Each structure stands twice: as C-alpha cells, then as structure tokens.
Amino acid sequence: MVATVEKPWGLFLGYLILGVTGSRASDTSSQIVNGEDCSPHSQPWQAALFMENEFFCAGVLVHPQWVLSAAHCFQDSYTIGLGLHNLEARQEPGSRMLEANLSIRHPEYNKPLLANDLMLIKLNELVTPSDTIRDISVASLCPTAGDSCLVSGWGLLVNGRLPTVLQCVNVSVVSEDECRELYDPVYHPSMLCAGGGQDQKDACNGDSGGPLICNESLHGLVSFGQDQCGQVGVPGVYTNLCKFTDWIQKTIQAS
C-alpha cells in the first residue's frame, strides 16, 4: 500500500482491499493507535459486523432496527454483534447476535472516489434498549475544529496484537481547510478529518464504519487513512454525518 498522500490511488486501492476483505489477524494496518481499553459497555451503540463468523467492520446503532456503517463495508448479509465488549466472547451477558439481509448504500457513494461513504443496515428484528445496547442520535450540526471526539474499535493494536476488548481513543477535529489541503485532490465535503496530533492517536481502516463521538452525538464514521497510522500531521478521514441527516431519516422511514 502506498503510504503517501501524494499518491492517493495506490493508497486508496490498498485501503479498499484491507478495509473490506482483510482479516483482523492478517491486516496489520488496522489499529486503534495509542488508545486504551474502553470502560465495559461505555459505548452501547457500538456494533461489530461479521461475515462467516469473521469480524470485518464496525458500525453504530442509530435506531432500534438500523445500524449505520461505512459503505465500503457492504455485503449481501451480515451477522451484527451488539452489546459486545470482548469480541471473542460473543455470548457475554447483555450481548446480542442478530442477522441482517438488507443494507442500503448512499446513492452517491464513490462519486467521486470514496465520497459519501455510508450505508444503513436493517436488522431482521427490533432491539430493546438495555444497559449494554442503546442507539445514539446522529448530529445535525457539524463539528468545529478543535473539538475532542472519541473513536472506538477492535482493530489490531499498534504492536500488531489483537485486543481482547473494545479500544477507545480521543482525537481532535481538524479544520475543513486543513483537511482539504492534506487530502487534495480527493477531498470531498462529505469527509471530516480528525487526529494527526503530536500524541499520535488515530484509527485505521480495520476500524472502518466505527463511531466518531463528539459532544455526546454521532458525528462521523471511520472511512479511510494511510496504512501507517498515527503519523503526526496526518489525520484520519471520517464520513461527515451532519451532511446526511435527511438521507438517514428518509431511508429509515421509507424502509
């Protein structure tokens, strides 16, 4: 995978391959970098997407029957884990494993490249809120530069080992101008940059579809970044969900 912003096509091609098909055991670029164990069930909206019993992407419960994730995680069907803290203990108390056979990608996904990277997945049954499973509202106002946000996921750690429990890391929102400059010419208004600080905290493509929580609302989904995570001055890119509140609401209501 190309690891320079100046060569985005190679970078994104590698990202797409790893983000969608890379297993957690082999994709060493997938990692929450310099984070820590989340407090158990502190992110009750966190979803894990499985295909043939293998975890491959994350998601966010935004409605009792709908999970939001990155469009590049699209599959024909999914098993969705909710209420999980330890990914290897799928029958832990308070967790649910649910099937889903309908997912709707944003109609403008990948138009242009990697823009509008979101989809909705409809669970085959409604979920009853509990201490370990709860949906979260999507922010209608866009975040501002400097806002502190939390990202969570089960990607590989920076040391290449698998975490046993959900990882959390705080990153700061980068200004739209800086995001555009760093990711020119592929920057699109549907994108949001966060991270890239001196603390080298970051998320990577193995955490694709996972939540970016700012001010107690869902502001973003992990979308893409460079293969070497946690580089100073190089933030990760997230889907900027404040731009999609109408589409999310209308899609849920229509389906």
Side-chain angles (χ1 to χ4, degrees):
M1 185 187 303
V2 178
T4 58
V5 176
E6 290 77 16
K7 299 180 180 178
W9 287 95
L11 163 67
F12 294 152
L13 176 61
Y15 144 77
L16 284 171
I17 293 170
L18 291 173
V20 178
T21 65
S23 70
R24 295 196 310 132
S26 62
D27 179 8
T28 56
S29 69
S30 308
Q31 49 199 262
I32 285 280
V33 179
N34 293 324
E36 60 187 8
D37 294 356
C38 301
S39 298
H41 308 297
S42 61
Q43 313 302 311
W45 41 79
Q46 181 88 33
L49 277 56
F50 297 89
M51 180 176 58
E52 297 179 351
N53 293 318
E54 183 176 358
F55 170 78
F56 71 98
C57 271
V60 194
L61 189 69
V62 294
H63 176 278
Q65 200 168 2
W66 291 88
V67 168
L68 197 59
S69 187
H72 73 262
C73 295
F74 178 86
Q75 302 292 332
D76 291 332
S77 62
Y78 316 79
T79 299
I80 308 289
L82 298 173
L84 292 171
H85 181 59
N86 187 331
L87 198 61
E88 298 175 356
R90 299 185 199 170
Q91 300 304 315
E92 63 183 321
S95 68
R96 297 281 308 276
M97 299 297 289
L98 303 166
E99 300 303 313
N101 302 105
L102 172 65
S103 49
I104 304 169
R105 282 178 287 194
H106 191 275
E108 296 299 313
Y109 168 58
N110 240 6
K111 303 175 184 178
L113 180 68
L114 288 186
N116 309 303
D117 188 14
L118 73 160
M119 67 172 171
L120 280 162
I121 303 171
K122 188 175 185 179
L123 302 173
N124 289 355
E125 58 184 282
L126 285 163
V127 175
T128 302
S130 67
D131 291 340
T132 56
I133 301 173
R134 179 166 58 86
D135 59 24
I136 187 170
S137 60
V138 178
S140 57
L141 297 177
C142 298
T144 57
D147 281 355
S148 179
C149 306
L150 186 139
V151 190
S152 50
W154 287 283
L156 291 179
L157 303 173
V158 70
N159 61 11
R161 297 179 181 177
L162 289 172
T164 57
V165 299
L166 186 66
Q167 298 294 296
C168 285
V169 67
N170 287 301
V171 293
S172 295
V173 174
V174 172
S175 72
E176 185 176 353
D177 287 344
E178 185 177 350
C179 188
R180 181 186 295 108
E181 180 179 354
L182 285 166
Y183 284 95
D184 181 69
V186 297
Y187 172 81
H188 186 268
S190 66
M191 300 172 184
L192 163 70
C193 287
Q198 295 292 328
D199 54 13
Q200 298 182 287
K201 294 181 177 181
D202 199 4
C204 278
N205 46 5
D207 299 305
S208 290
L212 179 74
I213 308 295
C214 318
N215 303 313
E216 301 182 353
S217 295
L218 178 64
H219 279 266
L221 302 172
V222 177
S223 184
F224 68 91
Q226 300 200 42
D227 62 343
Q228 182 180 346
C229 304
Q231 296 184 65
V232 175
V234 184
V237 181
Y238 300 78
T239 305
N240 196 2
L241 293 177
C242 64
K243 309 290 182 72
F244 298 101
T245 52
D246 286 347
W247 179 80
I248 292 169
Q249 293 172 357
K250 290 177 181 177
T251 301
I252 290 175
Q253 292 169 359
S255 302

